[in-house]
Each structure stands twice: as structure tokens, then as C-alpha cells.
Amino acid sequence: MSQSEFSGLKRNNMRIVLLLFCFFLALSPTLSQNAINLLGSGSAVSASLDPANPATTYVFDAGANSSATISLENVSGGLLALLISDINGNTIAQAAGAAGLPAVAASDVALASGGRYNVFVFFAPGSAALDTTFDIRLDLAPGDGADAVGQPPQASAAEPQLILLGAGIEVRLNWRDAVDLNLEVRDPTGQALHWNSRATDNGGVFGFDANGLCQVISDSPEESAIWQPGFLSTGSYEVIIYYEQACDALPRTAPFQLEVLVDGDSIGLLETSLSPGGAGGANVYVTRFEVTADGGGALRTGGPNPDTSLTLLPGGFDVATAVATPIAREVAVGGAISNAEPFLTYSFAGAANELISLDMQAVGPNLDTLLLIVDPAGNVVNANDDAFFGTTDSAIVNARLLSSGVYTIVATRYGKEIGGTEGQFQLTLSGPASDVAAQATSLNLPQGDIEVSLYWSTSADLQLLVRDPSGQSVFDDSPLSASGGILQEAGNVNCAPASTGTPVSYIYWPPGTLRPGTYEVEVWYQSACSDFPPAVDFTLLIEVNGNLVADARQFPQAGQRFVTNFTVTPAGAVLVGEAGYIDGGSATLAYQAEAFDAPLIESGQSVTGVISAENAFDVYRFEGIAGEPVTITMAAATQTLDTNLYLISPGDRQVAANDDADPVLLGTTGRTTDSLISGYVLTENGPYTIIATRYANQYGGTLGVYSLTLSKN
């Protein structure tokens, strides 16, 4: 994943500051020179951190094929973490302390290439920043300078070379609309320029963040990434353009121009457009350009690469799978991803209910890896972009194989064919991790940072659905999400009997994919199937970081939906929301007390509001006349909000409601999760109440800003 895929976070709040900070540490090639200290092998150095100085950096030099052990000892105060990266910012290893185990060590870390390495020391994610002292020690075991066993051949992908460019390199993005687009460029060494990374150590500089946060709107917005004149890298540069938001709350397609100049000469001009994402927000366009050894180059045509494209197979997969390379368990294999060969395929024989793990690590020079597992029927059953925050390597841990046969591994990169990162990688297929919990192994279910389990004992079809903080849902029609969510089991789906004898549905986020924010969980009694009478009781368990946070036993009727939510804070705390059945409509909301002094709105007036964890609904009033038709529109403006509308009569009766409007009636928005009460004819005179809320009312988990408009026509 690209470094500034988190750029949308600046539009939310500071809940993710700590995670973003750790992410920056993981990818930054250097920090300020006065914060860097040289480590020597065999001796300890004393140091300290405090809330005002929450991180420090060290460097050390090592020969090719050597190994290093970095340890933090005599830790007094807060919990610490360390991260080791190469000089280009690629993560090599990391470790963190835990309660009762404050010492931290990254042991026997393999260093394939010789040169300088970085060590970052900072407070462990989720821990308090306290006055802390520690000793840091480096122990090096020298190598012989030969190629390390299992490393891919270095000649299989071109290494960046330096060329003198008197006019440098310039990437220009311009558009003519009141939307916030963001530009990011990743160079062949793995460094990036974007709004939150304004300089690199090889002469890169990022310009003005045009329309940033929609605070200052320009008539001619333009962003640029410039590498100043000097010796610059040849090779592949990746360009990513983010559609962050429409500044006037009217999501629409944004035309733009992208031009690249190398040594003062244009090597290409793209004129295309980018649509908003599925929730009216973030979407990305990915392309690349190459700089050749003679100072020339070419800008390629790319395309959209939204989160939903994560699980799409690359073009040419059918041909490539026929010649997939067999891969053995526990034996690392090497390969290389390039613009000419953006993916490789490997095959292995798998048995039903077997647990397997995959690890794909980039060796160089700027590869951003991506892994897919394809089952014998040709379906993508698992995928991973980033194994955890702070790395662009990929891993799939404890994936359960649901059928026997030949599986295919797709080793590729972010953006697949349209991406621009290149380099060697090392891929390892192994069995289950050793820390699989007993309760999971009994059902062969993998562990994760989030685990949502649904158990029942009848033939009924109960659907389990979890919606993540980005608004994407994981359920039987969408078994994978870009945030890492996986539907591992779907009991009795479409009334098919459970293979285990007892129906179980299980959705999880693998280790390292925990994302702060609010998650929505829904159990829908879809069908009684062969049950008669259709009596069902189920148990819903929600676990976060190994802790049981919710345990509900319910007795639904056919067709009912039971919904709850939970919020994971940046510090790792979990707040569980209300739970209940949503078929009661507005009756589940205690709106009456607010209706007496609710704001009065007139025909043609638009108002805005915010649905949040603390504010599940807003109430408005208007004076109505019997026989008068009214139209009420509620549209989400930001974030993941799935809107919901109720109209209450002067006699306190719900007379109209809408969750998801007909997109044709919504005109230019096209959002199927927006709400519309269209042309309702009032039946009596008096004050009417409008309730603006979200799907599942107070039980739901979607959040965001909305606009509401009343029209009398």
C-alpha cells in the first residue's frame, strides 16, 4: 500500500495520530541529523524518551549477509518498540514490549546487503508516553559477502542507476474543480513525495497541497512533485492520485491533467478523470513513468485502483496459472516483479481444513508487495497488501483451505499491472502459526486482531455481516475487504448444510490489520430453510486483541436483523455500543424529548449535521398542511455514513421512512445508501418531525456528516 493512502485521515480527527506516527517512522529513510546516533557492535548505549521527545534514531553499518541483534534493556518507565529499516526505508524487522515484559529484542535479523541501516526507537503503539530510560545494544555477526541462501537473483530486476539531469524531474497535477485531489509520487529508491512527505534525501520536494482539507479553494488547483537538478535515479516512478472529497459536498467526477517533465522535456501528458469512491469519498488513480539511462522516458496510461480492486486477478492470470511454479512448504523462493512482469504465480496442493501461512518480503529496490490466494475453482479466497502498519510487505497468516486441490499463489504488487514499484522478493509458504488458540484449532479457525463468531444449532440460514470503519462490509456476497477482513466460515449459506455438522459463521481481521474506528455487526435471520417451526437461538461473540468484548445470546424471528457496534480507539481500548433488533423503525429512538424544541426548517432549506458515536440521530420540525406533498433528502457528505430517514406525523406516528433511496431519484449523487422520502402527501395539519439518523439507528456503526433538504411541491 502507498504511504499516503492514509492521507484521508487528516479529514477525520486525531484518533490515529499514534498509528500514523509509527507508519511514518517505518517508511522514513532518515530523520534530522541531530537525532541520529551511530551504534557500534558489542556495547550498550544509554538513552531516554519522554512525552516531548517520543522517538529517537540510530544507525549502524553492516556487511552483506551479516545478521544483527538489537536489544533494549534495563527499560524503566513506558513500553517501547523498535524498528529496523534499510537506508531506503524498507522495514527489515520490528519488535515491541508488553506489560510485564518491557525488554525488547529483534534477534538474528538477516541483512542481505551491505551498507547503512536505521534503528527507530519509540513508544509502543497503544502505550502511554512516560519518562523512560533504556540501554540499546547492537550485536553483529559478520557474513562472508556471498549471496544469502534463499535470496532472489539480483540480476532479475534492474537496480536504479544515477543520471545527471540539469533540469531535474517534475510531476504536475492540475484540475479545474472544487474537489480535493492529492498527488503522490514514489521514486525508484522507495522514497515518496506527497502532502505529508515534503522532501526526500535525494533532492525531492513537494509543493502546495491544493484544496487541502477544502479549507482554501483555488480556481486553478495544481500540485507538483519535483526532484531538483542533479544526479537522479533512473527506473520506474509510481504516481498515485487520490480523490479525497468534494469541497461543496456534491461528489462528482473530477477531470484532471497529469504531465511529467524529465530534464525539462515533457515525456507525457494524461488527460483523464477520477470519480469519487463508493462512499462519495476516497478513490485512487495509479500510473507510472520510466526514466531511462539516456535521460528520456515515457508516461504510461494507468487507471482507477479503488480498495475494491484488491481482490481482482491481474490480466493474463489464466495463462500464467497454467505454468505456475510449484512451491514447497518451509522453503523460501525468490522472484522479481517488474513493469514487464508485474506478477508471478506459484502452485501447491492443499487439503480441506488445512491451515497455511504465506510471507512475501520485498528485497528491493522499491517493491510494494501484494499477495492473493486462488482456490482450485479459480476464486480469490484470501488477499493481503500490507501485513501490518509500518510495512509494505505482505503476509497471510493461518488461512483455512476450504477444499482440497491445487491452489495458486499470485505474488504481485500494489496496483498490479498499472503499478510502478519494482524489485526482488522472497516468498515462503508454511503451515499454521504456533500461537493458534485452542478454541480456534477445534474448528480450524484462524486467529486475528478482530474475531466475530456466530454459532447456532439449526438448519436456518443466518447471515453474519461486519462493516469496517471505511464502510466496507464482509459477508457471504463479499468475503474479503480491502482493510483485511475475511469471511472464513458461512454456515448454512443459501440453506446448504454446514460441512462441520454445526453451523458456524466467522469473520476475522488477521494479525496486524487492526484499524481504529467503529465496526458494525449484523445477524440477519434470512431463511428458516428446512426448520419447522422456525425457532432459532444464536450466540454472537466478538473478540478484539484476544479479549472477549461482547457475548450475546438471542432468539430472533424469521426476517429479523440484530445489530450492534464496537469502537476500537487508537490506544487499543474497545467501546461496545448498544445492541438490538432494527425492525421497530423509529420506535427504537427516544426522539420525543428533542422534538418539542427541534430546529424549524422551511421548504427549500438545507441543513447539515453529524452522526457520531455520541449522536445517533438529529430531529427537525416543519409545519405541514393536509394535502401538501413533501420531499425530504438526506445525503452523506463525508466518511462512511449510511443514512436513514423517518417522518413523524403531528400525532406522533411514523408515516414515512427510507433507508436506501432509488439512485435514479437521487440524480447526480448516485449513492444507494443515501435516503429519500419523495412526494409524500401530508394527511393532517400541524407540526411534523423529521428524524435524521443512520442504518440501524442507535445500534448502527456508520459515522459522518450529512446534508438534509426539505421541499414542498
Side-chain angles (χ1 to χ4, degrees), residues 12-13 15 279 467-471 516-520 565-568 609-617 634 636-643 671 693-695 697-706:
N12 298 331
N13 52 47
R15 296 179 304 165
R467 180 151 44 178
D468 69 19
S470 70
T518 299
Y519 296 76
E520 185 179 277
N565 68 83
F566 64 96
T567 299
V568 181
V610 179
I611 301 299
S612 65
E614 298 78 23
N615 184 58
F617 66 93
M634 182 182 181
T638 62
Q639 298 184 37
T640 65
L641 182 61
D642 184 348
T643 63
R671 280 176 51 89
T693 182
R694 62 189 172 192
Y695 174 74
N697 300 350
Q698 72 270 40
Y699 311 129
T702 63
L703 314 170
V705 178
Y706 67 85

Side-chain angles (χ1 to χ4, degrees), residues 251-262:
R252 58 194 176 278
T253 299
F256 66 84
Q257 287 186 337
L258 177 71
E259 185 174 21
V260 178
L261 292 88
V262 175

Side-chain angles (χ1 to χ4, degrees), residues 125-164:
S127 66
L130 307 174
D131 290 345
T132 303
T133 60
F134 62 93
D135 295 334
I136 182 169
R137 179 185 174 93
L138 165 69
D139 290 290
L140 279 175
D144 58 8
D147 286 344
V149 175
Q151 292 294 330
Q154 296 301 304
S156 58
E159 295 288 341
Q161 304 296 320
L162 295 179
I163 181 175
L164 181 61

